[in-house]
């Protein structure tokens, strides 16, 4: 398992793409976990979001969210270098 955990709710808009392959192939240190619910009721239907090492990252659309998740992953990895 990676040192950066990206958690995604099954009801989230990010589920329309294969985030697991996207992030885990790009960053070997990342593990993507899909959960039934991340307890941010309603948010998952409104905007795409994920938790990166417990920090909520959200975007106005899927592409914006993915870009912000990448930035958050890079920030987390910089701590370990």
């Amino acid at each position: 398992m990676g040192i950066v955990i990206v958690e995604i709710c099954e009801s989230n808009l990010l589920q329309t793409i294969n985030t697991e392959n996207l992030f885990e192939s790009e960053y070997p240190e990342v593990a993507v976990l899909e959960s039934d619910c991340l307890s941010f009721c309603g948010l998952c239907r409104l905007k795409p979001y994920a938790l990166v090492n417990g920090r909520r990252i959200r975007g106005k659309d899927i592409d914006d969210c993915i870009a912000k998740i990448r930035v958050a992953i890079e920030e987390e990895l910089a701590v370990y270098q």
Side-chain angles (χ1 to χ4, degrees):
M1 189 171 272
I3 58 172
V4 177
I5 307 297
V6 177
E7 297 176 83
I8 298 173
C9 178
E10 286 183 355
S11 299
N12 193 286
L13 295 170
L14 285 176
Q15 286 295 8
T16 60
I17 62 170
N18 191 340
T19 53
E20 187 172 356
N21 284 344
L22 177 70
F23 294 121
E24 288 182 358
S25 66
E26 191 171 339
Y27 302 99
E29 306 89 348
V30 170
V32 176
L33 304 175
E34 296 177 5
S35 300
D36 291 338
C37 181
L38 294 174
S39 299
F40 292 103
C41 297
L43 180 61
C44 61
R45 289 188 305 251
L46 299 175
K47 294 187 180 219
Y49 83 98
L51 299 178
V52 177
N53 280 0
R55 189 175 75 181
R56 187 174 52 194
I57 307 297
R58 62 184 168 192
K60 59 185 175 211
D61 57 30
I62 292 173
D63 292 333
D64 183 47
C65 190
I66 289 171
K68 289 180 178 181
I69 291 170
R70 282 188 175 116
V71 169
I73 289 171
E74 294 289 340
E75 289 172 353
E76 292 292 326
L77 292 175
V79 171
Y80 297 103
Q81 295 178 359

